[in-house]
Amino acid sequence: MHVVWDWNGTVKDDLDDHVQALNATLPALGGTPVDRETYRAKHTVPIPNFYARLLGRTITEQEWISSDNAFLDHLRVQPVRVRAGAVELMAALREAGHTQSLLSLCPHTTLVREVEEAGIGHFFERVEGRTGASGGTKAAPLAAHLDALGLTGQGHRVLLVGDAVDDADAAHANGALAVLHTGGLHHPAKLAAAGHPLTDTLAEAVALGLRLTARSAHPVAA
C-alpha cells in the first residue's frame, strides 16, 4: 500500500496556528475574530469560500491575495509541531513495507522547509506542495502526484489520510481510498455528515485504511 499524507491539520498539528493567522487577517476585511469551533465548522476548500462564509460576502481577488499573503506570513513564524504519534506510525508503516508521500496545498517551499524542520523527510517518496495559484482543490494535484510516483491507475493501492472532505473527494476522483480523522481543521460533525470513512486518530485512520484497501484489492465474490 502507498499512503499519501495530508500536511496541515493532519501530520502537522496546527489548528491553533491557523485560527490565530485567520484572526490576524479578518479585521482588514471587516470581519471579527473567530474561535476554534467556528473555524472548524465553517472551514471549507477552496479557501476563498471559507472567507465568504465568515464574512457573509464574496471577497475580491485583491482581497484574497492580500489576505492569503498575510495568513501565510503569520504561519511562517510559528514552530512546526508534528501530531503526537505520527512519527512512530510512519516508522511502523515503513517497517511493514508500505511506501509514503506527502501532498499539501500549502506553498511547496514552505512545505519542504517545514518537513525538514520536523526531521521526517526520510519517510517520504515524494514531498509536494502547491506551486501555482492558491485557492484550489486537491484533486488535480493528487492526480499529478500519483503520476509522478508511477501510481496512476493503481488507486486500489493508495490510501490518502487527511482531515478535510476535499481530501476524500480528491482521492475518489483519482480512484483511491481516503480515511479522514477528526483532530484537524474541519469539524467532526461536518466530516461525519459527508459520509466518508472517519476515525479519531491517525493510527485508527491507517488501520482502517489498511483493511479497506485490502478489501478493495481482493473483493469478495458475490
Side-chain angles (χ1 to χ4, degrees):
M1 183 182 74
H2 180 84
V3 179
V4 179
W5 294 99
D6 171 56
W7 182 237
N8 298 109
T10 301
V11 176
K12 188 182 180 189
D13 189 1
D14 56 355
L15 172 60
D16 289 333
D17 295 339
H18 277 245
V19 173
Q20 293 169 15
L22 175 68
N23 286 338
T25 72
L26 286 175
L29 299 171
T32 57
V34 301
D35 58 18
R36 295 167 95 247
E37 288 303 293
T38 300
Y39 183 103
R40 298 179 87 202
K42 294 195 174 184
H43 192 281
T44 191
V45 176
I47 298 299
N49 294 348
F50 180 30
Y51 278 94
R53 286 184 175 184
L54 294 170
L55 298 169
R57 67 175 179 86
T58 300
I59 62 174
T60 67
E61 183 177 356
Q62 186 55 53
E63 284 177 325
W64 162 241
I65 292 171
S66 298
S67 299
D68 189 44
N69 287 338
F71 182 90
L72 294 174
D73 285 344
H74 187 90
L75 284 185
R76 199 169 287 121
V77 299
Q78 305 304 316
V80 177
R81 295 182 299 275
V82 173
R83 190 171 299 279
V87 173
E88 293 80 5
L89 184 55
M90 291 173 185
L93 281 167
R94 183 175 61 182
E95 286 298 312
H98 302 294
T99 55
Q100 303 168 75
S101 61
L102 189 62
L103 177 65
S104 175
L105 295 180
C106 82
H108 181 72
T109 53
T110 298
L111 179 64
V112 170
R113 175 181 58 79
E114 291 183 343
V115 168
E116 182 177 348
E117 182 179 333
I120 58 174
H122 59 286
F123 288 117
F124 306 122
E125 303 290 315
R126 187 173 182 84
V127 174
E128 195 163 15
R130 173 177 55 80
T131 56
S134 60
T137 62
K138 192 171 276 186
L142 179 60
H145 187 76
L146 296 180
D147 184 58
L149 289 165
L151 292 171
T152 298
Q154 300 184 55
H156 65 278
R157 292 182 48 208
V158 177
L159 167 67
L160 192 155
V161 178
D163 70 326
V165 173
D166 182 60
D167 291 321
D169 290 344
H172 293 170
N174 287 280
L177 196 73
V179 178
L180 307 179
H181 77 104
T182 62
L185 305 181
H186 292 245
H187 199 282
K190 180 168 61 176
L191 299 179
H196 300 296
L198 183 64
T199 65
D200 289 329
T201 69
L202 296 188
E204 291 170 341
V206 168
L208 176 57
L210 284 168
R211 294 196 299 272
L212 292 176
T213 52
R215 188 183 307 165
S216 175
H218 305 286
V220 177

